[in-house]
Amino acid sequence: MTSKLLTSILRNHLTKKPNLLRRQPFSTAAAEALSDPPQNHEETTSGITMKGVKIAGRPLYLDVQATSPVDPRVLDAMLPFYLSRYGNPHSRTHFYGWESDNAVEHARSQVASLINASPKEIVFTSGATESNNISIKGVMHFYKEKKKHVITLQTEHKCVLDSCRHLQQEGFDVTYLPVEKDGLVDLEKLKSAIRPDTGLVSIMAVNNEIGVVQPMEEIGKICKEFNVPFHTDAAQALGKIVIDVDKWNVSLMSLSGHKIYAPKGIGALYLRRRPRIRVEPQMNGGGQERGIRSGTLPTPLVVGMGAACEVAMKEMEYDEKRISALQQRLLNGIRSKLDGVEVNGSMESRYVGNLNLSFAYVEGESLLMGLKEVAVSSGSACTSASLEPSYVLRALGVEEDMAHTSIRFGIGRFTTEEEIDRAIHLTVHQVEKLREMSPLYEMVKEGINIKDIQWSQH
Amino acid sequence: MAAAASSPSPSQILSLARSFIRVSRQFPDYNIREYTKRRAIDAFRQNAKLSEPSSISEAFSFGKSQLDVAKRQAVVYSLYVPPLPSVMDLPNKPF
């Protein structure tokens, strides 16, 4: 009773509308203990100026494919392991180790039940990038006597493509299969690309940029027929579409934590036991995680990932229904006010939370700079540092000018209808403003076909 | 938790629903606040169709445990409020 009173008094004291420049009591103590990161922006009462852009409040978040906020239920499961249950799960001699080990094993079973696997087949890593590295390099190095060939797609994630390039430098052969205009792989091309010395087929389940879902069951059947191990990067697919490792016939699967509302810095790798797939470890050390990934497990992060998987299993149906309704709302809202809007990637075989749109006659960077109240991305976070249009869109055959102006809207569990409406309004407003200024659009409205113009060189 | 073994009365269920709505108002984060309120209301609506007393009391005790999680997290989120609120929380220009 008194503790409830205390909590409510504490909360009332702390959640009074703070003066923007005054720090709250508890965080003042924290500020004295640690220095704040250097703030290279000015805070005024009316907003923040950062990188030359002035915004009045935190932008609304529509970039769930880049990363997702940590679900409060996941944070609640993690916090005890930062406060009092801080043992090393590999310490076998005392209570702290035993309780951490219990938590890790419980999390392992939570992750396994989401993908219909056994807990013994799950190895925790530091993220999907590490899992992809272990899968591709580890499998090929293990079987390098007999198997020299890897098949993958042109639209894979950068870490898969980079690992394959590394293998090419070591002397392996890699086939980068093209995709159709809708982003899906052609199964006949896949069948004809498989050779007797093919050691791995790596195809991601849900693409992070365009959101298309590859035909996993059919690919699994082909791989089973030719007896080739099948690896998939399911970072974007976990907890969003139904994953069944037996139906898909995958031998290896990379999972990522921070895409399913778990913390960053944790991921997992699924390794099939029947028939057993062997990998050469990329991290050597004390033999933790069955020798495949040595190193102390970060108990809070592992617990967080397990809790997130359990929440995702319960919420999958509710989230999917809601997010698909929001996606329709976004698409119809934009299409009803603008023409020249193209969806990149197949509309039928797609994860509902990813909408990649190209706006004709508009430049992408200026559109993004105008959308400062909406956090979206063009291309994926890993490629947006460079100025080239994304390689995924190029592989789809999208023309250069449309590829430059693509925007990826990500809808997640916490997105609301008001945010979607606000995003529609801001996008439409910005696109109309840019098109008004565009001479190309004027010419198109007059009926001139842009492709017939002979541009003169100056 | 022994008290929750018997079937909860409609007034208890209603009071639990109202507690969720009350606790959701305490989150300073716009998205979490809206999500808590919406998810709780939808869960109560969906579970209103349950008729077996065992499943009703199971859902009720699950609801109570989730309410405890929400209360704790409301305190945690309030301890670390970012200096600027989300644009959705600001009085916006009408459009």
Side-chain angles (χ1 to χ4, degrees):
Chain A
M1 198 54 210
T2 41
S3 70
K4 265 199 208 165
L5 205 58
L6 206 61
T7 332
S8 69
I9 292 177
L10 200 72
R11 195 171 28 240
N12 286 336
H13 177 61
L14 292 169
T15 53
K16 280 192 300 217
K17 269 277 176 283
N19 180 359
L20 235 48
L21 297 178
R22 171 182 74 87
R23 296 285 181 171
Q24 295 180 1
F26 278 80
S27 46
T28 313
E32 282 168 5
L34 307 153
S35 60
D36 263 331
Q39 313 277 40
N40 45 3
H41 57 255
E42 310 152 21
E43 274 181 41
T44 62
T45 42
S46 63
I48 268 188
T49 311
M50 202 167 185
K51 296 200 194 271
V53 178
K54 185 163 188 300
I55 45 174
R58 297 183 72 80
L60 55 97
Y61 194 72
L62 286 184
D63 198 14
V64 189
Q65 276 76 37
T67 185
S68 52
V70 175
D71 194 302
R73 293 164 281 198
V74 169
L75 188 62
D76 194 70
M78 282 168 61
L79 278 175
F81 294 90
Y82 280 120
L83 302 176
S84 53
R85 306 187 196 172
Y86 48 79
N88 184 327
H90 312 292
S91 306
R92 292 171 161 236
T93 55
H94 51 71
F95 178 71
Y96 289 93
W98 303 330
E99 78 178 341
S100 298
D101 193 43
N102 274 347
V104 163
E105 294 309 313
H106 182 57
R108 210 187 290 272
S109 69
Q110 283 167 323
V111 174
S113 55
L114 186 55
I115 56 175
N116 192 23
S118 142
K120 298 193 194 147
E121 297 170 316
I122 303 281
V123 169
F124 283 112
T125 62
S126 72
T129 301
E130 186 181 343
S131 304
N132 281 333
N133 271 272
I134 297 178
S135 312
I136 299 180
K137 291 195 259 191
V139 165
M140 293 316 288
H141 285 159
F142 193 86
Y143 294 106
K144 66 172 176 268
E145 309 296 320
K146 302 236 180 77
K147 306 284 184 183
K148 292 266 179 212
H149 183 223
V150 180
I151 298 179
T152 183
L153 290 186
Q154 285 176 359
T155 55
E156 286 291 312
H157 195 260
K158 259 283 161 61
C159 55
V160 170
L161 295 179
D162 213 56
S163 306
C164 292
R165 192 162 54 90
H166 180 94
L167 286 178
Q168 265 181 309
Q169 281 173 346
E170 288 181 348
F172 291 87
D173 289 324
V174 181
T175 304
Y176 300 95
L177 284 179
V179 290
E180 307 295 304
K181 268 203 108 28
D182 58 0
L184 297 172
V185 65
D186 186 349
L187 297 167
E188 296 306 313
K189 287 203 186 118
L190 174 63
K191 258 196 219 163
S192 52
I194 295 183
R195 306 189 323 211
D197 67 342
T198 300
L200 191 67
V201 167
S202 174
I203 293 183
M204 71 193 321
V206 174
N207 191 292
N208 53 329
E209 282 196 41
I210 47 183
V212 294
V213 182
Q214 303 286 351
M216 301 305 284
E217 285 191 31
E218 284 81 15
I219 301 175
K221 266 199 219 95
I222 296 177
C223 291
K224 191 168 191 160
E225 195 187 315
F226 290 90
N227 203 14
V228 177
F230 180 23
H231 163 251
T232 177
D233 178 2
Q236 297 282 347
L238 183 67
K240 306 199 165 116
I241 59 175
V242 175
I243 299 183
D244 187 332
V245 290
D246 289 324
K247 277 214 199 99
W248 287 7
N249 191 40
V250 285
S251 310
L252 301 123
M253 182 151 67
S254 310
L255 309 168
S256 169
H258 68 112
K259 309 278 168 38
I260 50 165
Y261 313 95
K264 298 179 200 18
I266 185 72
L269 175 62
Y270 160 78
L271 286 163
R272 185 174 276 276
R273 285 177 91 226
R274 290 204 187 95
R276 184 181 285 262
I277 182 92
R278 312 281 301 272
V279 289
E280 192 189 72
Q282 305 288 308
M283 294 269 288
N284 303 106
Q288 286 85 10
E289 296 292 288
R290 300 206 313 241
I292 296 174
R293 205 274 182 187
S294 302
T296 304
L297 283 176
T299 323
L301 301 180
V302 166
V303 166
M305 181 155 185
C309 289
E310 185 171 332
V311 170
M313 194 148 71
K314 292 204 186 102
E315 303 280 330
M316 210 186 317
E317 202 186 308
Y318 176 83
D319 280 344
E320 155 125 30
K321 224 176 0 175
R322 225 181 135 257
I323 294 178
S324 82
L326 287 176
Q327 186 206 42
Q328 283 307 309
R329 196 190 177 109
L330 179 60
L331 194 55
N332 295 341
I334 292 188
R335 275 219 165 117
S336 65
K337 303 205 179 108
L338 290 177
D339 59 338
V341 174
E342 301 269 323
V343 178
N344 296 320
S346 148
M347 245 347 252
E348 294 80 31
S349 176
R350 153 177 233 118
Y351 167 57
V352 288
N354 183 323
L355 193 59
N356 192 312
L357 299 175
S358 278
F359 300 94
Y361 321 114
V362 165
E363 214 281 308
E365 286 294 314
S366 40
L367 179 58
L368 274 186
M369 287 201 302
L371 285 178
K372 24 181 207 171
E373 279 186 1
V374 185
V376 284
S377 88
S378 77
S380 70
C382 356
T383 59
S384 56
S386 62
L387 281 180
E388 323 181 330
S390 118
Y391 59 91
V392 173
L393 292 176
R394 216 175 324 131
L396 284 185
V398 176
E399 291 158 14
E400 285 282 313
D401 54 342
M402 291 295 263
H404 268 288
T405 157
S406 75
I407 303 274
R408 177 186 71 188
F409 292 95
I411 306 170
R413 186 184 287 166
F414 298 109
T415 318
T416 62
E417 278 99 6
E418 289 87 18
E419 285 184 325
I420 297 284
D421 291 337
R422 177 87 84 106
I424 295 174
H425 171 79
L426 288 169
T427 314
V428 166
H429 176 74
Q430 192 63 21
V431 169
E432 280 175 350
K433 200 165 79 167
L434 286 172
R435 278 185 178 165
E436 200 124 345
M437 293 194 284
S438 156
L440 276 182
Y441 191 57
E442 270 176 43
M443 290 202 276
V444 165
K445 275 205 296 198
E446 285 168 18
I448 307 177
N449 186 355
I450 305 245
K451 310 246 188 286
D452 294 338
I453 301 178
Q454 300 279 26
W455 301 105
S456 62
Q457 304 278 38
H458 284 279
Chain B
M1 273 293 139
S6 59
S7 195
S9 67
S11 68
Q12 279 179 307
I13 298 178
L14 202 56
S15 121
L16 184 67
R18 271 199 232 112
S19 311
F20 265 106
I21 298 178
R22 239 196 320 265
V23 86
S24 76
R25 272 190 229 125
Q26 287 155 5
F27 279 100
D29 183 299
Y30 166 78
N31 293 94
I32 310 285
R33 187 190 326 140
E34 295 295 310
Y35 177 76
T36 314
K37 192 168 58 172
R38 184 181 5 109
R39 186 71 187 94
I41 295 178
D42 285 343
F44 276 92
R45 272 210 198 113
Q46 192 182 10
N47 286 339
K49 303 194 187 93
L50 292 176
S51 51
E52 250 178 84
S54 62
S55 54
I56 294 181
S57 54
E58 197 184 310
F60 185 74
S61 44
F62 180 68
K64 280 185 85 174
S65 65
Q66 295 290 290
L67 181 67
D68 287 337
V69 171
K71 282 190 185 154
R72 284 196 293 264
Q73 290 309 305
V75 175
V76 171
Y77 275 76
S78 313
L79 292 172
Y80 291 97
V81 184
L84 276 190
S86 158
V87 284
M88 302 300 290
D89 276 338
L90 296 175
N92 50 356
K93 44 192 186 301
F95 57 85

